[in-house]
Amino acid sequence: EYGLWKLTFTENEVFTERITENGDFVKAVGFGIGNSESEPALFIAGKLFSEYGFWRSFDSGKSWAKINTPSQMYGNIISMDGDFRKKGRVYIATGTYGGLYGEENK
């Protein structure tokens, strides 16, 4: 209910950085191939920009793209994860429709 945060650890300190805006809700999050090794893709099921859906970011949360339509909500989302073998592929575990995956159309 408090959105998505990035934690960075050093030997003596922990730094926090808010990835999503105040009031955003994240139900599930996963990682995949991003724009570089230091910036993995983020996949989330949750509410961003006042709209619930599935979202993808290739730049560690600096920009987001909605990756589903209103007819692709799939009930209760248990978990989701990206694929580290194929950029843009996401796996979604649902409580009602089983396991699903999707990828970018090119």
Side-chain angles (χ1 to χ4, degrees), residues 48-64:
L48 296 182
F49 313 109
S50 301
E51 187 175 357
Y52 181 82
F54 305 141
W55 300 85
R56 178 201 66 222
S57 174
F58 284 135
D59 56 11
S60 295
K62 294 176 188 80
S63 62
W64 294 95

Side-chain angles (χ1 to χ4, degrees), residues 5-79:
W5 292 76
K6 178 180 180 179
L7 302 176
T8 306
F9 298 90
T10 67
E11 189 172 308
N12 300 316
E13 297 180 281
V14 176
F15 299 95
T16 61
E17 176 186 352
R18 183 183 281 276
I19 302 295
T20 60
E21 298 297 318
N22 192 24
D24 289 341
F25 168 79
V26 177
K27 169 90 172 146
V29 63
F31 300 93
I33 296 175
N35 289 336
S36 69
E37 284 189 26
S38 63
E39 287 189 322
L42 298 172
F43 296 94
I44 69 168
K47 182 178 154 187
L48 296 182
F49 313 109
S50 301
E51 187 175 357
Y52 181 82
F54 305 141
W55 300 85
R56 178 201 66 222
S57 174
F58 284 135
D59 56 11
S60 295
K62 294 176 188 80
S63 62
W64 294 95
K66 190 167 185 224
I67 58 173
N68 71 307
T69 66
S71 65
Q72 298 168 318
M73 296 305 255
Y74 305 115
N76 186 28
I77 304 304
I78 306 301
S79 67

